[in-house]
Amino acid sequence: MYKVGLTGGIGSGKSKVADMLAAWGAAVVDTDVIAHDLTAPGGAAIEPIRQAFGPDVIAANGALDRAVMRELAFQSPEVRRRLEAILHPMIRGETRARANVAQGSYVVFVVPLLVESGSWHTQLDRICVVDCDPETQIARVQARSGLTREAIERIMSAQASREERIAAAHDVVLNDGKTSLQELELSVRALHEYWCMQALL
Ligand code: ADP
């Protein structure tokens, strides 16, 4: 299948764009959803994470306590590396498994850290970046999650810059603070049609 990688900073609108594409018939494999599933109660990553970092990183409901884990990982590069060593192979395997059974006009991989990861580029036909100004990203994430501005800025500073992402992109969707959802839908629709055509070639 024709493969599109969809990326963008936190709060840029990746999920929104992916939802539109899915509604129009693309198959969507979201690595963030996979990471959530793996770290939900009973998820395959819970036991290895408990063994590596102790019971304090697991919430009462059996899910990964993301706030506690995020804090530990920010404080120690070694913790972050060990967490990634557990999660990344699992995410890769599950991404492959879901892509293998995906049905649609083409497949979209939603990958927040696509530009940062390096290994994705060779596996994709096309890279699409959802582009947004940092202030709008912060406002959207605050409204969505209640994280503090400081926490959001810290996450953003560990992600690629707007310029780095755009430099890696074949297609850019502008979704800044001035973009209405209607305008977003129009530009995403045009890309969807282009990708559908490419998928047939
Ligand atoms: P990401 O997946 O990149 O973190 P989301 O797609 O979850 O971002 O978008 C972040 C939040 O902003 C969501 O609540 C979403 O509904 C909202 N949002 C995204 N784009 C727009 C837009 N153009 N206008 C209004 N709200 C938007």
Side-chain angles (χ1 to χ4, degrees), residues 8-17 32 110 140-141 144 175-176 179-181 184:
I10 184 169
S12 61
K14 293 179 296 296
S15 308
K16 198 95 211 161
V17 170
D32 239 8
V110 186
R140 285 182 188 151
V141 177
R144 180 181 67 187
N175 187 32
D176 65 8
T179 314
S180 70
L181 286 173
L184 178 67

Side-chain angles (χ1 to χ4, degrees), residues 8-12 14 67 70-71 74 113 132-160 165:
I10 184 169
S12 61
K14 293 179 296 296
R70 191 184 302 122
E71 205 46 51
F74 266 117
L113 299 181
C132 183
D133 60 288
E135 277 307 314
T136 302
Q137 284 178 263
I138 293 168
R140 285 182 188 151
V141 177
Q142 271 183 325
R144 180 181 67 187
S145 68
L147 286 175
T148 63
R149 166 178 275 269
E150 193 194 13
I152 300 165
E153 283 177 344
R154 211 165 52 165
I155 293 169
M156 286 168 61
S157 70
Q159 300 187 340
R165 266 193 216 96

Side-chain angles (χ1 to χ4, degrees), residues 100-114:
N100 283 340
V101 296
Q103 305 227 332
S105 329
Y106 57 91
V107 60
V108 183
F109 295 96
V110 186
V111 187
L113 299 181
L114 191 156

Side-chain angles (χ1 to χ4, degrees), residues 21 31 63 70 93 98 112 128 154 157 162:
L21 297 172
T31 58
R70 191 184 302 122
R98 291 191 192 187
C128 176
R154 211 165 52 165
S157 70
R162 212 173 162 181

